[in-house]
Amino acid sequence: MTKLRWGIKTAPQHTTYEAMLRVWKEADEHPAFEHAWLFDHFAPIQGDLDGPCYEGWTLLSALAAQTSRLRLGIMVTGNTYRHPAVLAHMAATLDVISGGRLDFGIGAGWNEYEHESMGIPLYKPGERIRRLGEACEIIKRLFTQHLTDFDGRYYQLKQARCEPKPVQKPHPPFVIGGGGEQLTLRVAARYADIWNSTGGDVETFRHKVQVLHEHCAAVGRDPSEIELSVQLRVNYDDLQATTEAVRAFVEAGATHLVLMLTYPYPEGIVARLADEVVSQCS
């Protein structure tokens, strides 16, 4: 049986730093879990818009410094929020801080309120995804080359540096989130080490995987090189239902499994998930 890799996600909305830190430390100490995630938003995307929402990369740096084993990342960074060369420096720094534990998550960006409220351009979908493709190429080069020149449609670099380089060689794994069949999955086929499905039922997931594999064939990529990832919300009142939902995606080919926790996090939830979900699916 293919090895399953389990993780948790604490979306940093309507929660506290102390609560997230407690859960991450518990997961860091539990061998059932290999990875942990935040999201990249500037206001809650569920519930009261006026509630607290922590900045993802800043928070991830703090959590990286207080954990020792978990792989960690943002599921996924919105490319539109930061110039890709700046983001490359952030990611390289975090990989150093964490001792080489970063999974580099990136997507095209989508949240209308955040862009409009902060005056950040939200381009048409096609342009956003083309920008994502250029961003992946730029970041990969900055991670691996001494000097980077890039003359793209949207971004231009001239003898750009990124030092220190990430600890991981040749670079941290790229995690690309999104399900657009014509453009996003083509970018994933070219650059992703992990592709994260952005929701939908199991049949939708199966279909997206098929499309991803078709794009892999078109670009000459072995589809087995791309790990298939899903995020599933944990039902604290019915962990058996969570297990059944996870199992259906595992049967459809998912091996990178992210259990999404909502605040308040029940006492001992990490150990319970290991005992009542992970053990039932592995």
Side-chain angles (χ1 to χ4, degrees):
M1 180 178 177
T2 303
K3 183 178 185 297
L4 304 182
R5 299 206 299 137
W6 296 87
I8 61 164
K9 181 176 180 178
T10 56
Q13 60 180 355
H14 304 301
T15 184
T16 69
Y17 171 63
E18 293 77 13
M20 287 183 284
L21 178 60
R22 173 179 63 82
V23 170
W24 278 56
K25 283 187 170 181
E26 289 175 7
D28 193 49
E29 294 169 0
H30 203 296
F33 293 96
E34 294 187 36
H35 44 93
W37 302 88
L38 303 172
F39 74 19
D40 188 29
H41 291 286
F42 300 95
I45 59 173
Q46 284 103 23
D48 185 357
L49 194 61
D50 289 327
C53 188
Y54 296 86
E55 197 282 318
W57 279 93
T58 311
L59 177 60
L60 190 66
S61 293
L63 295 170
Q66 299 199 64
T67 54
S68 61
R69 187 187 59 83
L70 288 171
R71 299 198 61 78
L72 38 82
I74 304 290
M75 186 76 80
V76 289
T77 309
N79 179 57
T80 48
Y81 296 137
R82 305 166 191 84
H83 190 285
V86 174
L87 181 59
H89 279 266
M90 295 167 56
T93 297
L94 199 143
D95 199 51
V96 171
I97 289 170
S98 67
R101 292 184 286 129
L102 176 68
D103 285 335
F104 177 68
I106 191 167
W110 60 270
N111 189 284
E112 292 183 14
Y113 165 76
E114 289 171 344
H115 290 80
E116 291 176 0
S117 66
M118 295 189 292
I120 298 172
L122 181 66
Y123 311 102
K124 296 294 185 182
E127 179 174 343
R128 291 205 301 274
I129 299 165
R130 288 190 294 270
R131 283 177 175 269
L132 171 64
E134 286 194 9
C136 288
E137 182 63 28
I138 286 169
I139 293 165
K140 182 177 180 180
R141 293 188 192 183
L142 286 167
F143 282 166
T144 57
Q145 299 177 175
H146 173 50
L147 297 175
T148 296
D149 293 296
F150 189 85
D151 186 18
R153 183 173 175 180
Y154 305 107
Y155 303 110
Q156 294 78 40
L157 277 64
K158 185 176 181 180
Q159 295 196 336
R161 290 170 165 82
C162 181
E163 300 294 343
K165 299 293 186 210
V167 172
Q168 298 178 83
K169 304 302 179 190
H171 53 74
F174 275 60
V175 183
I176 295 180
E181 295 183 14
Q182 294 184 347
L183 296 176
T184 303
L185 290 177
R186 186 167 67 192
V187 173
R190 187 175 297 277
Y191 293 102
D193 298 288
I194 301 170
W195 168 68
N196 181 255
S197 172
T198 51
D201 59 18
V202 174
E203 288 310 310
T204 300
F205 175 76
R206 290 183 189 274
H207 172 69
K208 299 290 186 183
V209 171
Q210 180 181 350
V211 174
L212 175 64
H213 288 182
E214 290 169 359
H215 283 301
C216 286
V219 302
R221 182 94 185 272
D222 181 350
S224 68
E225 295 176 0
I226 303 176
E227 197 168 1
L228 304 178
S229 174
V230 294
Q231 306 178 64
L232 293 161
R233 190 172 303 278
V234 173
N235 182 344
Y236 298 139
D237 297 323
D238 190 353
L239 290 187
Q240 183 58 37
T242 302
T243 299
E244 291 169 3
V246 170
R247 188 177 288 128
F249 281 94
V250 169
E251 291 172 355
T255 60
H256 186 271
L257 306 159
V258 182
L259 301 177
M260 297 191 292
L261 309 180
T262 54
Y263 182 80
Y265 317 116
E267 198 69 33
I269 187 59
V270 170
R272 282 191 62 203
L273 289 173
D275 291 342
E276 299 180 43
V277 179
V278 174
S279 66
Q280 296 301 312
C281 296
S282 299

